[in-house]
Amino acid sequence: MERESMDFDVVIVGGGPSGLATACKLMLLAQEEDIELSVCLVEKGSEIGAHILSGAVFETRAIEELFPNFIEQNAPLNNPVNQDKFYYLLNNKISIPIPSFLLPKAMRNEGNHATSLGNVCRWLAEQAEELGVNIFPGFAASEILYDESGAVCGVVTGDMGIAANGERKNSFEPGYELRAKHTVFAEGVRGHLGKQLIKKYQLASNKATQHYAIGFKELWDIPAEKHEAGKVLHTMGWPGKHYKGMFTGSYLYHLENQQVSLGLIVDLSYSNPHVSPFEEFQRWKHHPLIENTLNGGKRVSYGARAIVKGGLSALPKLTFPGGLLVGDNAGFLNMTKVKGSHTAMKSGLLAAESIFEEIKSGSLGNNEISRYQRKFEESWLYQELYKSRNSQQAIHKFGTALGSGFIWLDQLTGAKLPFLLKDPTPDHETLVHADKAKKINYRKPDGKISFDRLSSVFLSNTNHEEDQPCHLELIDPEIPITSNLPTFDEPAQRYCPAGVYEVIEENGEPKFQINSQNCVHCKTCDIKDPAQNINWVTPEGAGGPNYPNM
């Protein structure tokens, strides 16, 4: 197919914190050295921030390195944390406050800001455009371009106007070839191009198993008398298990303008196929610690996304011929802090420095920039991840209660315990057979505090062109009914936070139905499906959620 092509020095795939930090840093370095540089950033969301979802309590270390005057430049970081609360939930009624002096320093939030990461990304995009970055929202990178030597040399954006049957509609427009000397992949968790690169170049060879969670978020308007701007609250324990089984953590942050953001994180290593992470989130909101804040309020937005949490030992090799992995595409989350925005940004800064040094040296591009890996290993980012290297593994190995004790001891010693915990079982292999697992009767939503999936998806402003190929590809269309249903009661019906997957009856027989237009792009199905039969790929550009200030 004939495609238009454009050439750049650097193409960046993804408009999250890591991709935008990479773009801004590259242009700042070019300005300092008076070197002309062309940088293009493509984002599959309808606008920058449309697909961004995070709590978020934002640590400013990386943004201070990028823009030392970020406050004077009106970055949306105006809500410093002034109350930092932590609770262990014993059950659906009882919460135990944990004094701050008992918490490891890494889990405290002095100096951080409770904010919207989507708005931070929108601000970063404004800075990038002022610096001369070409930003193309609504364009999904669907393919990787390779040169004759097998090196990455750019990406192809998805074709628009393809019907569900694969035929071209009257509105058909071919995608563009965006060719680059260096391509940075900043797609976020379980990026579909990143998956291909990790496999092709064996970037995860000799690395530990990667692990994930699903994180939920709602935004609420609450009565003025209940609002305390700058107050943040975290919990562990219920509705997860205290020992082994299912692990959960949660947050409730008081933002500006009488709003709170709140959510539950459910580790995807759970073993009971009857678990519905969405329903766990809804029932968690009925705990008195949370419900008392929400009573009299109004839910205004909802979303969900996967969280990458394997840590340092699961981090893939970061470089390959022609390109680099940054942010959650690689997995830089600090599991002790349960924060990844500042680490993602730092990875982008290191990538930008490495690329710029390569360009400045006269390199023609499409080579492997090994200095990025070295810079990472010499940075505070590596040290921070090293100190949290056992956190996720401890929770999996010992359970919430004992694992938390291990983390406390580990952090008390400065993370100097002389061993590395291992967690080799991938999340998709942890489910037991449905007939050996306890069924769970979730309470019916009350429409005031708890809600159903479809009304929730409505608040995510999710939209896809319906007449297009399904972006949730089944490798074997028979597996959901012939294998997953009898063995695991087809868990996709429950682990999906958006009601995408259903088992319906047609002519007296069960049928697996995919409502792809509901998809909020969380990637949970790609991760948790026990047969690894679902492959998430990008739909048409601009499809998916349209989060406001999430």
Side-chain angles (χ1 to χ4, degrees):
M1 180 192 301
E2 283 289 323
R3 298 182 185 276
E4 290 187 40
S5 67
M6 293 182 278
D7 295 324
F8 299 91
D9 292 310
V10 183
V11 166
I12 300 167
V13 182
S18 63
L20 289 163
T22 306
C24 290
K25 185 64 175 179
L26 278 167
M27 299 308 287
L28 287 169
L29 290 169
Q31 279 188 359
E32 289 174 10
E33 298 286 339
D34 196 24
I35 293 175
E36 188 173 334
L37 200 64
S38 58
V39 177
C40 165
L41 184 149
V42 290
E43 162 57 37
K44 64 183 174 66
S46 62
E47 64 171 4
I48 296 295
H51 288 181
I52 296 295
L53 184 144
S54 179
V57 167
F58 188 87
E59 187 171 321
T60 60
R61 186 173 185 178
I63 202 171
E64 285 175 4
E65 291 183 12
L66 181 59
F67 294 112
N69 299 318
F70 69 93
I71 295 295
E72 290 79 4
Q73 291 174 266
N74 296 315
L77 295 166
N78 308 305
N79 189 37
V81 173
N82 55 41
Q83 295 184 65
D84 194 5
K85 306 292 184 181
F86 197 98
Y87 294 83
Y88 193 93
L89 304 186
L90 278 182
N91 53 38
N92 64 344
K93 298 291 184 185
I94 301 173
S95 58
I96 301 173
I98 309 298
S100 61
F101 71 86
L102 290 179
L103 293 175
K105 185 178 180 181
M107 297 175 67
R108 301 175 195 170
N109 287 290
E110 298 96 335
N112 297 335
H113 291 254
T115 189
S116 157
L117 185 61
N119 287 342
V120 171
C121 287
R122 291 180 178 96
W123 179 83
L124 285 169
E126 291 173 3
Q127 311 313 304
E129 288 188 313
E130 288 179 10
L131 290 165
V133 177
N134 297 281
I135 296 181
F136 301 145
F139 287 84
S142 62
E143 299 175 38
I144 303 167
L145 290 171
Y146 298 97
D147 66 15
E148 299 81 3
S149 69
V152 173
C153 61
V155 295
V156 179
T157 63
D159 297 332
M160 306 285 280
I162 300 288
N165 62 7
E167 296 181 357
R168 298 180 182 182
K169 297 185 286 188
N170 292 334
S171 59
F172 174 77
E173 292 182 14
Y176 293 89
E177 288 188 358
L178 303 177
R179 296 188 166 271
K181 297 175 182 176
H182 307 282
T183 308
V184 180
F185 292 85
E187 301 168 282
V189 178
R190 199 80 167 192
H192 88 290
L193 298 182
K195 272 203 318 179
Q196 296 173 32
L197 293 164
I198 290 169
K199 181 178 180 180
K200 177 180 175 65
Y201 295 109
Q202 299 183 333
L203 304 180
S205 177
N206 301 316
K207 302 292 184 179
T209 303
Q210 190 59 271
H211 290 279
Y212 303 88
I214 179 171
F216 294 88
K217 179 177 179 178
E218 289 180 352
L219 198 63
W220 284 62
D221 294 329
I222 63 169
E225 63 271 16
K226 295 185 177 184
H227 186 251
E228 302 175 73
K231 179 180 178 180
V232 301
L233 178 155
H234 294 92
T235 81
M236 292 183 71
W238 184 89
K241 304 298 183 184
H242 301 301
Y243 299 100
K244 291 193 175 182
M246 181 182 74
F247 316 120
T248 62
S250 71
Y251 63 91
L252 191 154
Y253 304 151
H254 289 249
L255 307 177
E256 301 170 272
N257 304 317
Q258 289 182 217
Q259 287 193 327
V260 294
S261 67
L262 59 142
L264 183 74
I265 297 169
V266 179
D267 192 292
L268 288 176
S269 67
Y270 65 82
S271 58
N272 186 339
H274 302 299
V275 162
S276 166
F278 174 86
E279 301 290 354
E280 297 291 344
F281 172 42
Q282 297 306 311
R283 74 170 177 167
W284 164 80
K285 289 187 292 179
H286 284 285
H287 193 286
L289 186 68
I290 308 303
E291 186 170 4
N292 289 343
T293 299
L294 301 182
N295 276 328
K298 179 184 178 182
R299 188 176 68 148
V300 295
S301 193
Y302 163 85
R305 57 159 287 193
I307 298 169
V308 58
K309 56 193 288 293
L312 182 63
S313 59
L315 200 67
K317 183 170 178 279
L318 302 174
T319 62
F320 44 89
L324 313 147
L325 297 176
V326 297
D328 282 350
N329 225 163
F332 286 100
L333 179 83
N334 181 326
M335 186 53 196
T336 306
K337 295 181 176 181
V338 197
K339 289 182 178 62
S341 299
H342 69 293
T343 54
M345 288 188 67
K346 180 61 176 177
S347 72
L349 301 184
L350 296 171
E353 291 169 3
S354 304
I355 292 169
F356 187 76
E357 289 171 13
E358 194 74 15
I359 292 173
K360 191 178 173 185
S361 72
S363 168
L364 297 177
N366 304 127
N367 55 318
E368 185 163 352
I369 307 180
S370 57
R371 72 182 76 199
Y372 172 44
Q373 188 83 33
R374 293 198 303 272
K375 281 179 176 287
F376 161 62
E377 292 172 0
E378 295 168 358
S379 71
W380 61 255
L381 174 55
Y382 180 89
Q383 292 300 319
E384 186 171 311
L385 296 187
Y386 181 81
K387 290 178 181 179
S388 68
R389 68 194 182 281
N390 281 323
S391 294
Q392 183 270 143
Q393 292 83 349
I395 296 292
H396 279 198
K397 191 174 184 67
F398 306 121
T400 303
L402 295 178
S404 299
F406 176 93
I407 294 170
W408 180 84
L409 177 63
D410 187 41
Q411 295 298 305
L412 195 67
T413 66
K416 294 179 180 177
L417 294 177
F419 50 82
L420 177 66
L421 296 178
K422 295 183 179 180
D423 187 11
T425 306
D427 297 328
H428 68 269
E429 292 184 4
T430 59
L431 293 178
V432 301
H433 288 197
D435 60 0
K436 291 179 170 52
K438 181 181 178 181
K439 289 198 172 183
I440 305 171
N441 293 315
Y442 291 106
R443 66 187 287 178
K444 185 178 179 181
D446 65 4
K448 297 177 181 178
I449 300 297
S450 51
F451 304 89
D452 62 22
R453 275 183 179 82
L454 293 184
S455 66
S456 299
V457 173
F458 177 78
L459 290 180
S460 70
N461 301 309
T462 294
N463 183 60
H464 293 90
E465 166 59 48
E466 291 195 28
D467 187 16
Q468 67 172 301
C470 181
H471 68 280
L472 303 161
E473 299 177 344
L474 298 181
I475 298 168
D476 182 346
E478 303 299 319
I479 281 178
I481 298 302
T482 61
S483 178
N484 282 357
L485 184 61
T487 309
F488 303 109
D489 193 26
E490 185 44 87
Q493 302 175 89
R494 292 172 293 281
Y495 60 59
C496 174
V500 169
Y501 302 102
E502 295 181 280
V503 175
I504 62 173
E505 186 175 305
E506 189 173 274
N507 300 321
E509 297 293 331
K511 177 186 176 183
F512 190 60
Q513 179 165 293
I514 302 177
N515 306 308
S516 59
Q517 67 273 19
N518 287 1
C519 179
V520 294
H521 297 199
C522 74
K523 316 292 181 63
T524 304
C525 56
D526 195 289
I527 296 163
K528 188 62 176 173
D529 179 63
Q532 288 296 275
N533 188 47
I534 301 173
N535 184 39
W536 192 100
V537 300
T538 54
E540 282 192 2
N546 284 280
Y547 296 133
N549 54 330
M550 295 281 271

